[in-house]
Amino acid sequence: MPAPSDRSISVFFHSQHNPYYIYAPDYHQGSAGVRALHQLCHALNELGCEAYIAPGQKTLPKLRAPTLQPENIKNHFLAGKTPIAIYPETVTANIFGIPHVAYWLLNRPGRLTPKRSYENEILFHFSEWVLSPGMQSELLTLPLLDVSVFNNHDNPHDENRSVPCYYAHKYLSAGHEVPQDMKDRAISLCQDIPRPPAELAEILRKSSVLYCYEETALMSEAILCGCPVVLVSSPFLKKEDWLDRWLPAGAGWEDEPEVLNRLRQETQGFRELYETTHRHCWVTVENFIAATHDRFTLSGQGRSKGGTRAETENFWNMSPENRASHLSDFLESVSRLSIFSYFDHSSPVQQLANWLDRTAAAASPLIEPTSPAAAPVTASNASPQLSFSDEARILEQLDAHMKAGQSGQATTLLMRLAAHGTLRWEVYETLGQIHAEQHRLDEAADVLLKGAALEFSSTHCLRKLAAVYAMQGESWRTLAACTNILKREPDDTELHLFVRDVLLSTSPRFDDISWLAPEWTGAVDALNSYRAQAHTARVLLDKLQDKARAVREQYHPLTGSRPSVSDEDDTPPTQEALLSEKPAPPPT
């Protein structure tokens, strides 16, 4: 288990270890591979690491396998961490766009997806049977069977088992058939009939034999329940691919004479054998942690093989001090990765949020004469960014002042952190709340807006910002803040009521949207006035140009003749026409 080498106080304010992003779909009891990925996430978190599941969003409640959220990614990037991606052998590309990658072989490479090369990759395997000849890998194994559910303890049916079962899910899906007598006398345990683990165990505790046409974790579950397993050769289960030592006790091939008699004896001791062989599982997880953190340290650089993922990998390879200035570009790059498409919402509330966003943007005044322009941030008036150690020291002081109830000193430190451009949105949230309580609403709005820009999926600053805008009577700004909250938390009932109250407090009209912002009418009137003045000036200019063109056409450049007085009107020639005339010859 990783432990911090630095035992100073400052370590409490940052992490020395990279998190894990584990590729896994939603938890599915019928897939041993999916269960293994979720249980690995649980084991890593139990050992003190930080691990997440993606793109799956459904997990088993009793496992510590949190799903990866946008704010996790943003915080890891700003904290200078570079996650370690863990892919099963079915993943053929670096879909997380992370330079640190480890592969975990849960099946033979090429069995479920096209075979690929793992040269120069850090490689782990679930069991010896998944390895190809000559492949170098480290063992990472977990117990996938819950022995509290799958067991043969106090089984009243153990002495009179009579019903056989069979499993051929992929085999049947590929168009093959099992013998008719098998269908007639045996129970199908294929996945077309979803069964919870307890129901499967109840059937297996009554079954005389399980016939398997393909590899499945159900083999070991059956043996734990005292049911022997007979393997049937098929395109999905070839005898030449298996060594005898790879078969669990209680499983054998159908062509072996008197195979069931031997298997029934072996099932009796399988529970003890299973627990003995899996006692070292925690050691393999600890070795995995040590190996990945030894290769992928916080300061280490990962590999980037180019291709469509090179852009995001390059962001992760940036040094910690350069990441803040590239945050927007990084988030945009991550949003383009297809694996994170589940962050988007398409609910009716999301559609309402999008409509409010467009409406608020349209109502935003183009000219705000009452708002003084902020001084530009230049090298002379911008405070330098604090170092990690200085910021940690100030945060320690801040914590002490707040615990002691010294609000004045705490506010001073908060303002100092904000002036130096801290990336902690919590600082801006607390400072904005203090300003709001003191009725300094303009300063509160400015501070909370900065904090909201640093939040990725949370909405703490945005909620207080919406309240401040509502106190200021800024309807369109209030709705804009609510819109961004709804995009992240579309099912917030209290927020729906707040938006309703904001809309009911206005006097909406159908002819325009000036009711959203009081200054909108003034801005539109000013623009209309400027447009009318520009049109008048354009008409006058066109008229003067026509006059100048007429004078120039009547003047002959060779004879020097000028138009007669009768041909001219009272309009004086333009300056352009006067300049085009030739001077009179000097007197002789």
Side-chain angles (χ1 to χ4, degrees):
M1 181 171 64
S5 57
D6 183 0
R7 298 288 179 149
S8 64
I9 297 178
S10 61
V11 176
F12 285 94
F13 296 91
H14 64 274
S15 173
Q16 291 184 309
H17 300 287
N18 288 320
Y20 293 94
Y21 292 178
I22 303 176
Y23 177 86
D26 291 342
Y27 186 87
H28 179 43
Q29 180 65 30
S31 172
V34 173
R35 282 154 46 194
L37 292 165
H38 281 250
Q39 287 176 305
L40 174 61
C41 185
H42 167 79
L44 292 173
N45 284 307
E46 285 289 289
L47 289 177
C49 296
E50 184 183 5
Y52 300 90
I53 290 293
Q57 293 293 289
K58 295 180 181 179
T59 60
L60 195 63
K62 65 181 180 180
L63 296 182
R64 286 183 60 190
T67 57
L68 184 64
Q69 298 301 319
E71 189 173 6
N72 303 134
I73 303 173
K74 186 208 71 173
N75 290 340
H76 293 154
F77 182 75
L78 292 177
K81 302 177 183 179
T82 301
I84 301 171
I86 303 176
Y87 297 132
E89 82 289 342
T90 54
V91 176
T92 58
N94 185 10
I95 55 180
F96 280 135
I98 299 174
H100 297 169
V101 173
Y103 280 93
W104 191 20
L105 306 182
L106 301 174
N107 205 328
R108 291 187 179 92
R111 177 62 60 89
L112 302 177
T113 56
K115 197 169 185 179
R116 53 151 297 174
S117 172
Y118 296 97
E119 186 178 359
N120 298 325
E121 302 284 8
I122 183 169
L123 203 59
F124 299 86
H125 61 276
F126 183 83
S127 183
E128 182 185 1
W129 64 269
V130 306
L131 292 177
S132 301
M135 184 175 288
Q136 299 296 319
S137 175
E138 297 290 333
L139 180 65
L140 173 60
T141 190
L142 300 172
L144 299 182
L145 312 182
D146 188 347
V147 293
S148 66
V149 176
F150 296 97
N151 61 72
N152 200 32
H153 294 163
D154 302 323
N155 184 5
H157 309 284
D158 196 31
E159 298 299 328
N160 56 350
R161 297 172 179 266
S162 58
V163 180
C165 301
Y166 69 91
Y167 183 85
H169 184 72
K170 298 185 183 71
Y171 182 78
L172 293 174
S173 299
H176 302 287
E177 294 287 342
V178 300
Q180 187 60 44
D181 64 333
M182 177 78 72
K183 294 181 180 180
D184 295 338
R185 63 188 179 90
I187 299 175
S188 170
L189 298 184
C190 298
Q191 296 181 30
D192 58 333
I193 305 176
R195 291 185 172 93
E199 183 180 343
L200 280 174
E202 182 180 359
I203 295 175
L204 292 171
R205 284 161 61 90
K206 299 177 182 179
S207 300
S208 58
V209 60
L210 171 66
Y211 292 96
C212 285
Y213 288 75
E214 59 199 57
E215 302 164 6
T216 172
L218 194 63
M219 294 163 51
S220 297
E221 292 171 343
I223 300 172
L224 281 174
C225 292
C227 174
V229 175
V230 172
L231 307 180
V232 181
S233 296
S234 76
F236 299 91
L237 192 63
K238 299 179 180 179
K239 188 174 183 179
E240 58 269 22
D241 292 339
W242 286 79
L243 299 178
D244 290 341
R245 68 175 185 272
W246 294 347
L247 294 178
W253 296 95
E254 62 173 342
D255 58 358
E256 178 186 343
E258 301 296 328
V259 63
L260 275 177
N261 292 332
R262 176 178 66 83
L263 298 182
R264 290 192 184 100
Q265 297 297 323
E266 292 181 354
T267 57
Q268 299 177 7
F270 181 74
R271 165 68 181 268
E272 181 179 357
L273 179 63
Y274 181 82
E275 292 185 342
T276 301
T277 56
H278 283 80
R279 286 173 185 167
H280 69 290
C281 288
W282 284 111
V283 176
T284 68
V285 179
E286 291 170 349
N287 291 340
F288 168 82
I289 296 171
T292 51
H293 279 85
D294 179 61
R295 180 160 176 175
F296 305 130
T297 62
L298 283 177
S299 58
Q301 299 295 305
R303 91 286 182 271
S304 179
K305 295 185 176 181
T308 58
R309 306 301 174 191
E311 178 187 9
T312 309
E313 291 184 30
N314 289 335
F315 281 115
W316 284 116
N317 278 327
M318 285 183 176
S319 59
E321 57 271 15
N322 292 332
R323 291 187 175 188
S325 59
H326 293 83
L327 178 61
S328 298
D329 293 335
F330 165 75
L331 296 179
E332 181 181 355
S333 176
V334 169
S335 68
R336 292 196 295 266
L337 298 176
S338 59
I339 191 173
F340 296 129
S341 60
Y342 63 91
F343 288 158
D344 297 331
H345 301 280
S346 58
S347 65
V349 175
Q350 176 66 26
Q351 297 174 10
L352 171 63
N354 292 335
W355 179 86
L356 288 174
D357 201 8
R358 292 192 300 270
T359 305
S364 177
L366 302 176
I367 303 174
E368 297 186 72
T370 59
S371 301
V377 179
T378 62
S380 60
N381 62 14
S383 300
Q385 190 173 6
L386 293 171
S387 64
F388 290 124
S389 58
D390 288 340
E391 183 169 302
R393 177 176 52 81
I394 295 176
L395 287 171
E396 290 182 27
Q397 298 174 359
L398 175 62
D399 184 59
H401 287 316
M402 296 186 71
K403 288 181 178 179
Q406 300 169 340
S407 57
Q409 294 89 330
T411 302
T412 301
L413 291 179
L414 287 169
M415 295 180 69
R416 181 181 175 187
L417 289 170
H420 284 277
T422 180
L423 299 176
R424 296 178 179 269
W425 59 263
E426 301 93 335
V427 171
Y428 299 99
E429 180 199 16
T430 306
L431 185 57
Q433 180 174 346
I434 293 173
H435 287 330
E437 291 173 352
Q438 297 174 352
H439 299 284
R440 300 160 62 181
L441 300 182
D442 289 341
E443 296 179 41
D446 181 62
V447 169
L448 290 170
L449 191 60
K450 293 178 181 178
L454 294 173
E455 290 185 287
F456 196 6
S457 63
S458 62
T459 59
H460 303 283
C461 292
L462 276 172
R463 290 177 180 273
K464 292 180 178 174
L465 183 63
V468 169
Y469 283 151
M471 294 168 65
Q472 292 178 312
E474 297 280 4
S475 300
W476 72 272
R477 287 192 172 96
T478 305
L479 291 175
C482 291
T483 297
N484 285 283
I485 300 172
L486 285 170
K487 288 179 179 179
R488 305 174 191 184
E489 300 177 13
D491 300 322
D492 190 330
T493 305
E494 292 184 1
L495 184 60
H496 299 173
L497 297 176
F498 179 73
V499 172
R500 183 200 65 180
D501 293 340
V502 171
L503 292 172
L504 291 178
S505 67
T506 62
S507 299
R509 296 189 298 274
F510 293 102
D511 54 340
D512 59 37
I513 55 176
S514 61
W515 53 273
L516 277 173
E519 62 269 34
W520 172 253
T521 303
V524 172
D525 291 342
L527 289 175
N528 290 334
S529 176
Y530 298 152
R531 186 179 297 110
Q533 295 175 20
H535 178 71
T536 302
R538 181 66 186 178
V539 171
L540 179 59
L541 181 60
D542 290 342
K543 184 175 181 181
L544 292 175
Q545 287 179 339
D546 290 340
K547 297 292 184 181
R549 189 178 301 109
V551 171
R552 189 165 53 247
E553 290 175 353
Q554 295 178 27
Y555 173 70
H556 197 285
L558 296 180
T559 62
S561 61
R562 301 187 59 174
S564 61
V565 177
S566 60
D567 294 334
E568 297 180 354
D569 59 16
D570 296 334
T571 304
T574 63
Q575 183 179 6
E576 181 181 1
L578 294 174
L579 292 176
S580 66
E581 295 182 1
K582 292 185 179 180
T588 57

